Amino acid sequence: MSFHSIEKAWWKEAVVYQIYPASFLDSNGDGLGDIPGIVSKVRYIKSLGVDTIWLSPIFASPQKDMGYDVADYRSIHAPYGTVQDVQDLIDQLHAQKMRILMDLVVNHSSDQHAWFKESRSSKTNPKRDWYIWRDPKYDEQGNRKEPNNWKSIFGGSAWAFDENTSQYYLALFLPSQPDLNWESAEMRKATHDDMRFWLDRGVDGFRIDSMNLMSKHPDLPDGKVINDEPYQSGAEFFASGPKMHDYIREIRTEVLDKYDVMTVGELGFTKDEYSVSQYVAKDRRELNMLFTGDIVDMDFGASGKYERNDFHPRKIRKITDLWQTAMPRFDGWNTVYLDNHDSGRSLSRYASDSPEHRAMAAKMLATYLMTLSGTPFMLAGQEIGMANLGKEYGAESYIDVEGKNYYKGVLKARGGDVSKMSDVLRELQLKARDHGRLPMQWDDSPNADFTTSEKAWMTINKDYTEWNVASQLDDPTSIMTYWKAMIALRKEYPDLFVYGSYVPLPESETGEMILGYERYSQEMRQKSVVLLNFSDQVQKVDVEKYKGFSTLISNQGGDTYKGSHVELRAFGAVVLLRT
């Protein structure tokens, strides 16, 4: 086992709490969460032990993609509040010695942004090259065709035709989300200025959305044809393009290095160790950390998100072992997460939300997140064991554009026969983005006390009457109490759980359903063993070699040792310690 000293930083020791603004708390009764609602819960958030919040997009937006279509980077979506409300939130957090990250969406803007309105006004407009425009192609019959065959991430063509100037513009997501052209130095400068606008107001960093899509292959070649569909993936030409690292380093040197901030990039389509190292290796001076996405893709099929591919603990073992051992090799830093606004809840996908297992399973996942090296990110609601919508919810309950478009596309291909859609509905019930965006469940009053309006902006899970904040606040056995204990433990043992070395335990030692690993702090001479049961059956692990260790924490209660082995109940978690 080799060890090396890791430079310490506040963002490495942070515990981040992600808030989806529309779904956290509605302060004015319009059915939509807002910034004043978040401000009113700052003390609650701090009570969990977290010290940083990450806000999903709050900028002015027509909300075609829930704020990931920005119309003005210096204004706030009016139903959420004002710039002053955000300043109040920043000030309240700083007063509590907490920090705030904002979601920066700069691969694309809304088609309602002033930049795009100018860009599309004429081919000679000074902002024309702020977006990616191309002439049409024509087939042998003279029919107009897109500049290439790229498929949009949300389905259909990645190109939209503009009648006014008779050219296509690139839009990798929705047609209302035109891609910005990072080749334009003037556009980059304007984007840097928008970042400074918020950093000067006290924002402590950014999560950069779709970060590695900002550089495309300059020739925009066709994607490889792998099926008979009209549009194909062009990811090899639009992800991590030739100038991607130049753009990130420019942001770093021109903007970020002037502030003490944290950066985390969303890295789509790129999950190999070498490519990741190019973004986060310390000597590269680019980003602090990345979301590679593989941990929330574990049940995706080979042909896409909504193809069935059941979860098995081997998948999380492989991903965890990879990144926990890889990052130290190139002096990078991990993100540690299981949930976000783009995923179904991990409790329902990788563990169990059944009544008899739900609390144990939620606590087991909390143990996983808080005992790994890296910066942990939790999604609001994880602390109370929020789950996916149940099987009783039909397709009409899902309102997110990604899931809706997919469902409608398959339904059309199957001749409109709803009776043939059970397989798609099953996958929506597991993976739809709606699950990560469900309104927060505060108590058992109408609408979970999320809103006083008769109707919330989206479905509230009817299980809120049992699973809510109020019912867990003063319960010493609750999921929330366990989360608080795990966060406190992480902060008590930073040299072990934040900065310590990671040694995987092979499946041959733990059994296929157990994820096990050792953590070691050379400086403090501390060693820990973490054992996590990802099954609903009792599992036994031989711990003969860990004589002298004692139970530091467990979601099982009581003594976990049974002679020379540890017995893990269904979804049991045990952390052993030798000091």
Side-chain angles (χ1 to χ4, degrees):
M1 188 188 309
S2 62
F3 303 98
H4 72 285
S5 179
I6 298 175
E7 183 180 352
K8 296 183 178 182
W10 70 263
W11 44 267
K12 293 180 179 179
E13 298 180 27
V15 178
V16 184
Y17 186 81
Q18 183 188 0
I19 293 176
Y20 199 69
S23 297
F24 195 64
L25 184 64
D26 170 21
S27 71
N28 59 8
D30 65 356
L32 191 74
D34 48 47
I35 304 302
I38 299 170
V39 171
S40 73
K41 292 294 185 179
V42 167
R43 289 188 179 275
Y44 163 75
I45 299 166
K46 183 177 177 64
S47 75
L48 299 174
V50 303
D51 45 43
T52 304
I53 71 168
W54 155 29
L55 289 186
S56 288
I58 57 173
F59 304 124
S61 166
Q63 299 290 309
K64 298 291 179 63
D65 186 22
M66 285 307 298
Y68 285 92
D69 48 328
V70 178
D72 185 348
Y73 293 98
R74 302 192 188 196
S75 298
I76 302 303
H77 182 52
Y80 288 164
T82 65
V83 171
Q84 185 55 52
D85 289 330
V86 178
Q87 189 65 61
D88 290 344
L89 176 59
I90 294 168
D91 294 343
Q92 289 260 13
L93 290 167
H94 288 176
Q96 295 291 327
K97 300 190 185 316
M98 299 173 71
R99 292 180 167 92
I100 180 171
L101 307 179
M102 294 183 85
D103 220 316
L104 185 68
V105 189
V106 289
N107 171 69
H108 49 269
S109 75
S110 165
D111 62 357
Q112 299 306 302
H113 197 295
W115 296 350
F116 188 71
K117 289 180 178 180
E118 286 191 53
S119 183
R120 79 186 312 176
S121 66
S122 76
K123 291 182 179 179
T124 58
N125 186 277
K127 288 188 173 63
R128 185 68 172 182
D129 73 342
W130 287 32
Y131 294 85
I132 300 172
W133 295 92
R134 291 293 186 273
D135 289 326
K137 290 183 177 179
Y138 294 90
D139 63 19
E140 293 178 356
Q141 288 74 42
N143 299 309
R144 190 186 73 223
K145 305 287 287 184
E146 294 87 351
N148 67 28
N149 69 351
W150 290 359
K151 182 179 181 179
S152 160
I153 291 165
F154 288 158
S157 174
W159 294 91
F161 189 68
D162 179 62
E163 297 285 352
N164 182 48
T165 59
S166 297
Q167 281 192 318
Y168 284 92
Y169 61 86
L170 182 66
L172 289 176
F173 292 87
L174 293 174
S176 56
Q177 293 171 289
D179 279 53
L180 287 158
N181 179 20
W182 277 74
E183 294 273 356
S184 167
E186 288 300 311
M187 190 285 297
R188 298 200 306 274
K189 182 177 182 298
T191 299
H192 297 166
D193 288 342
D194 285 341
M195 295 173 71
R196 292 187 193 96
F197 178 86
W198 291 106
L199 292 169
D200 289 341
R201 279 158 179 75
V203 167
D204 299 289
F206 297 106
R207 177 263 188 185
I208 306 175
D209 180 72
S210 302
M211 174 273 305
N212 67 316
L213 307 187
M214 297 189 300
S215 173
K216 284 82 172 174
H217 189 292
D219 297 334
L220 305 179
D222 279 346
K224 185 184 299 182
V225 177
I226 59 172
N227 53 44
D228 59 1
E229 294 182 7
Y231 305 110
Q232 306 291 322
S233 172
E236 64 179 306
F237 300 117
F238 65 65
S240 293
K243 294 188 178 179
M244 191 64 249
H245 296 289
D246 294 337
Y247 298 151
I248 294 295
R249 281 194 292 269
E250 183 180 60
I251 290 173
R252 176 81 181 255
T253 57
E254 294 296 319
V255 182
L256 300 175
D257 282 350
K258 312 295 193 295
Y259 306 84
D260 179 20
V261 295
M262 166 183 171
T263 54
V264 53
E266 181 187 28
L267 187 70
F269 306 97
T270 309
K271 306 182 194 304
D272 65 283
E273 181 179 334
Y274 174 77
S275 299
V276 167
S277 73
Q278 298 302 289
Y279 287 102
V280 298
K282 182 184 174 185
D283 61 4
R284 298 278 300 177
R285 295 188 57 77
E286 294 190 24
L287 297 169
N288 296 141
M289 61 193 92
L290 293 169
F291 293 126
T292 57
D294 46 10
I295 204 76
V296 294
D297 296 356
M298 289 189 289
D299 54 1
F300 287 15
S303 63
K305 176 175 181 175
Y306 294 109
E307 179 186 19
R308 182 165 182 168
N309 183 12
D310 294 339
F311 169 76
H312 189 282
R314 286 194 182 103
K315 297 180 180 180
I316 196 167
R317 176 184 292 110
K318 180 180 179 181
I319 293 169
T320 305
D321 290 351
L322 167 64
W323 295 118
Q324 288 291 303
T325 56
M327 284 294 173
R329 286 198 286 270
F330 48 79
D331 206 0
W333 195 249
N334 271 303
T335 54
V336 182
Y337 64 103
L338 288 168
D339 292 61
N340 62 35
H341 62 289
D342 280 337
S343 68
R345 294 274 177 173
S346 59
L347 179 65
S348 301
R349 297 165 68 196
Y350 307 148
S352 175
D353 57 15
S354 63
E356 68 270 29
H357 297 311
R358 186 164 172 171
M360 283 285 286
K363 293 174 184 179
M364 184 271 289
L365 296 178
T367 311
Y368 170 85
L369 288 167
M370 290 299 139
T371 55
L372 290 172
S373 180
T375 300
F377 289 75
M378 56 188 291
L379 178 64
Q382 271 185 283
E383 75 270 26
I384 57 170
M386 280 183 64
N388 283 358
L389 295 174
K391 292 182 173 57
E392 64 273 24
Y393 289 91
E396 71 282 352
S397 299
Y398 297 91
I399 65 172
D400 176 63
V401 62
E402 180 204 66
K404 277 176 63 177
N405 283 0
Y406 182 81
Y407 185 90
K408 287 191 290 188
V410 177
L411 182 62
K412 181 179 179 181
R414 294 178 180 178
D417 188 347
V418 175
S419 68
K420 296 179 179 178
M421 296 296 288
S422 60
D423 59 330
V424 177
L425 182 58
R426 177 194 181 274
E427 298 308 302
L428 283 175
Q429 289 167 341
L430 278 175
K431 306 170 191 173
R433 300 197 304 181
D434 302 70
H435 302 300
R437 306 174 182 196
L438 297 176
M440 186 68 175
Q441 298 167 194
W442 293 104
D443 63 27
D444 61 0
S445 63
N447 286 324
D449 202 34
F450 162 72
T451 180
T452 57
S453 172
E454 285 188 22
K455 185 173 175 58
W457 78 277
M458 76 171 297
T459 307
I460 294 177
N461 199 332
K462 67 181 183 181
D463 71 4
Y464 78 85
T465 55
E466 284 188 76
W467 303 90
N468 58 68
V469 170
S471 67
Q472 297 193 29
L473 269 173
D474 300 317
D475 179 357
T477 66
S478 70
I479 298 168
M480 182 190 296
T481 298
Y482 190 85
W483 262 102
K484 290 179 179 179
M486 285 306 310
I487 294 171
L489 201 66
R490 184 177 184 83
K491 292 181 179 294
E492 182 181 353
Y493 293 92
D495 292 290
L496 183 62
F497 294 124
V498 179
Y499 299 110
S501 298
Y502 174 95
V503 179
L505 296 181
E507 183 180 317
S508 59
E509 289 187 21
T510 63
E512 66 174 302
M513 305 309 289
I514 302 292
L515 173 60
Y517 45 88
E518 299 175 352
R519 303 300 314 281
Y520 183 73
S521 167
Q522 185 179 33
E523 291 79 5
M524 303 302 292
R525 294 291 188 266
Q526 294 168 334
K527 188 173 183 178
S528 176
V529 183
V530 181
L531 301 170
L532 307 168
N533 183 4
F534 277 84
S535 80
D536 59 4
Q537 302 295 313
V538 172
Q539 306 286 335
K540 295 181 180 180
V541 181
D542 187 331
V543 291
E544 184 71 32
K545 67 179 181 179
Y546 298 118
K547 284 183 178 178
F549 284 67
S550 58
T551 302
L552 180 62
I553 194 167
S554 170
N555 66 351
Q556 302 187 153
D559 189 5
T560 56
Y561 281 103
K562 304 290 182 182
S564 61
H565 66 271
V566 164
E567 186 172 285
L568 293 169
R569 303 207 312 260
F571 300 103
V574 174
V575 182
L576 307 176
L577 177 70
R578 183 197 69 202
T579 302

